[in-house]
Coordinates of all heavy atoms in Angstrom, one line a residue:
L248 N 6.8 1.6 -11.6 CA 6.0 1.8 -10.4 C 5.8 3.4 -10.3 O 6.7 4.1 -10.7 CB 6.6 1.3 -9.2 CG 7.0 -0.3 -9.1 CD1 7.7 -0.5 -7.9 CD2 5.6 -0.9 -9.1
P249 N 4.6 3.7 -9.8 CA 4.5 5.2 -9.3 C 5.4 5.5 -8.3 O 6.2 4.6 -7.6 CB 3.0 5.2 -8.8 CG 2.6 3.9 -8.5 CD 3.5 2.9 -9.4
I250 N 5.6 6.9 -8.2 CA 6.6 7.3 -7.1 C 6.1 6.8 -5.7 O 4.9 6.5 -5.5 CB 6.8 8.9 -7.1 CG1 5.5 9.6 -6.8 CG2 7.3 9.3 -8.5 CD1 5.6 11.1 -6.6
P251 N 6.9 6.7 -4.7 CA 6.5 6.2 -3.5 C 5.4 6.9 -2.8 O 4.6 6.3 -2.2 CB 7.9 6.4 -2.6 CG 8.9 6.2 -3.6 CD 8.4 7.0 -4.9
A252 N 5.3 8.3 -2.8 CA 4.3 9.0 -2.2 C 2.9 8.5 -2.8 O 1.8 8.3 -2.1 CB 4.4 10.5 -2.4
V253 N 2.8 8.3 -4.1 CA 1.6 7.8 -4.8 C 1.2 6.4 -4.4 O 0.1 6.0 -4.2 CB 1.7 7.9 -6.2 CG1 0.5 7.4 -7.0 CG2 1.8 9.5 -6.6
R254 N 2.3 5.6 -4.2 CA 2.0 4.2 -3.8 C 1.2 4.2 -2.4 O 0.3 3.4 -2.2 CB 3.3 3.5 -3.6 CG 4.1 3.3 -4.7 CD 5.6 2.8 -4.3 NE 6.6 3.0 -5.5 CZ 7.8 2.7 -5.5 NH1 8.3 2.1 -4.4 NH2 8.5 3.0 -6.5
R255 N 1.6 5.0 -1.5 CA 1.1 5.1 -0.2 C -0.2 5.7 -0.3 O -1.3 5.1 0.3 CB 2.0 6.0 0.7 CG 1.3 6.2 2.2 CD 2.3 7.0 3.0 NE 1.9 7.1 4.3 CZ 1.0 8.0 4.8 NH1 0.5 9.0 4.0 NH2 0.6 8.0 5.9
R256 N -0.5 6.7 -1.0 CA -2.0 7.3 -1.4 C -2.8 6.2 -1.9 O -4.0 6.3 -1.6 CB -1.7 8.5 -2.2 CG -1.2 9.7 -1.4 CD -1.1 11.0 -2.2 NE -2.0 11.1 -3.3 CZ -1.9 11.9 -4.3 NH1 -1.0 12.8 -4.4 NH2 -2.9 11.9 -5.3
L257 N -2.4 5.5 -2.9 CA -3.3 4.4 -3.5 C -3.7 3.4 -2.4 O -4.9 3.0 -2.2 CB -2.5 3.8 -4.6 CG -2.4 4.6 -5.9 CD1 -1.5 3.9 -6.8 CD2 -3.8 4.8 -6.5
R258 N -2.7 3.0 -1.6 CA -3.1 2.0 -0.6 C -4.1 2.6 0.5 O -5.1 2.1 0.8 CB -1.8 1.6 0.4 CG -2.0 0.7 1.4 CD -0.9 0.4 2.2 NE -0.1 1.5 2.7 CZ -0.3 2.1 3.9 NH1 -1.5 1.9 4.5 NH2 0.4 3.1 4.3
L259 N -3.8 3.9 0.9 CA -4.8 4.6 1.8 C -6.1 4.7 1.3 O -7.0 4.8 2.0 CB -4.1 5.8 2.4 CG -2.8 5.7 3.2 CD1 -2.3 7.0 3.6 CD2 -3.1 4.8 4.6
A260 N -6.2 5.1 0.0 CA -7.4 5.4 -0.6 C -8.3 4.2 -0.7 O -9.5 4.4 -0.6 CB -7.2 5.8 -2.1
D261 N -7.7 3.1 -0.6 CA -8.5 1.8 -0.6 C -8.8 1.4 0.8 O -9.2 0.2 1.1 CB -7.9 0.8 -1.5 CG -8.9 -0.3 -2.0 OD1 -9.9 0.2 -2.6 OD2 -8.8 -1.4 -1.7
G262 N -8.2 2.1 1.8 CA -8.4 1.6 3.2 C -7.6 0.3 3.6 O -7.9 -0.2 4.5
L263 N -6.5 0.2 2.9 CA -5.7 -1.0 3.2 C -4.5 -0.6 4.2 O -4.1 0.5 4.1 CB -5.0 -1.5 2.0 CG -5.9 -2.1 0.9 CD1 -5.4 -2.4 -0.3 CD2 -6.7 -3.3 1.4
T264 N -4.1 -1.5 5.0 CA -3.0 -1.3 5.8 C -1.7 -1.9 5.3 O -1.8 -2.7 4.3 CB -3.2 -1.9 7.2 OG1 -3.3 -3.4 7.0 CG2 -4.4 -1.5 8.0
Q265 N -0.6 -1.4 5.9 CA 0.7 -2.0 5.2 C 0.7 -3.4 5.6 O 1.2 -4.3 4.8 CB 1.9 -1.3 6.0 CG 2.1 0.2 5.5 CD 3.2 0.9 6.1 OE1 3.6 0.6 7.2 NE2 3.7 1.9 5.3
R266 N 0.2 -3.8 6.7 CA 0.2 -5.3 7.1 C -0.7 -6.1 6.1 O -0.2 -7.2 5.7 CB -0.4 -5.5 8.5 CG -0.5 -7.0 9.0 CD -0.7 -7.0 10.4 NE 0.3 -6.5 11.3 CZ 1.5 -6.9 11.5 NH1 1.9 -8.1 10.9 NH2 2.3 -6.4 12.2
Q267 N -1.8 -5.6 5.6 CA -2.6 -6.3 4.7 C -1.8 -6.5 3.4 O -1.9 -7.6 2.8 CB -3.9 -5.7 4.4 CG -5.0 -5.7 5.5 CD -6.0 -4.8 5.2 OE1 -6.0 -3.5 5.0 NE2 -7.3 -5.4 5.3
L268 N -1.1 -5.5 3.0 CA -0.4 -5.6 1.6 C 0.8 -6.6 1.9 O 0.9 -7.4 1.0 CB 0.2 -4.3 1.2 CG -0.4 -3.5 0.1 CD1 -1.9 -3.1 0.5 CD2 0.3 -2.4 -0.3
A269 N 1.4 -6.5 3.0 CA 2.5 -7.4 3.3 C 2.1 -8.9 3.3 O 2.7 -9.7 2.8 CB 3.1 -7.1 4.6
E270 N 1.0 -9.1 4.0 CA 0.4 -10.6 3.9 C 0.1 -11.0 2.5 O 0.3 -12.1 2.2 CB -0.8 -10.6 4.8 CG -0.5 -10.4 6.3 CD -1.7 -10.3 7.3 OE1 -2.8 -10.3 6.8 OE2 -1.5 -10.3 8.5
T271 N -0.5 -10.1 1.9 CA -0.9 -10.4 0.4 C 0.3 -10.7 -0.5 O 0.3 -11.7 -1.3 CB -1.8 -9.4 -0.2 OG1 -3.0 -9.2 0.5 CG2 -2.2 -9.6 -1.7
L272 N 1.3 -9.8 -0.4 CA 2.5 -10.0 -1.2 C 3.5 -10.9 -0.5 O 4.6 -11.2 -1.1 CB 3.1 -8.6 -1.5 CG 2.2 -7.7 -2.3 CD1 2.8 -6.3 -2.3 CD2 1.9 -8.3 -3.7
Q273 N 3.3 -11.4 0.6 CA 4.2 -12.3 1.4 C 5.5 -11.8 1.6 O 6.6 -12.3 1.2 CB 4.3 -13.7 0.7 CG 3.0 -14.4 0.5 CD 3.0 -15.6 -0.3 OE1 3.9 -16.2 -0.6 NE2 1.7 -16.2 -0.5

């Protein structure tokens, strides 16, 4: 996996929230 800071940047670059990822990944 990419480093944690890049994980967050990727999510934000696509306009996704942590809640959206959480729901998708269950």
Side-chain angles (χ1 to χ4, degrees):
L248 298 171
I250 63 170
V253 171
R254 299 172 196 176
R255 180 177 185 273
R256 285 182 24 197
L257 287 168
R258 175 181 57 79
L259 293 173
D261 206 56
L263 298 170
T264 66
Q265 289 176 338
R266 180 168 299 286
Q267 287 173 304
L268 258 63
E270 288 172 359
T271 300
L272 297 172
Q273 300 177 5

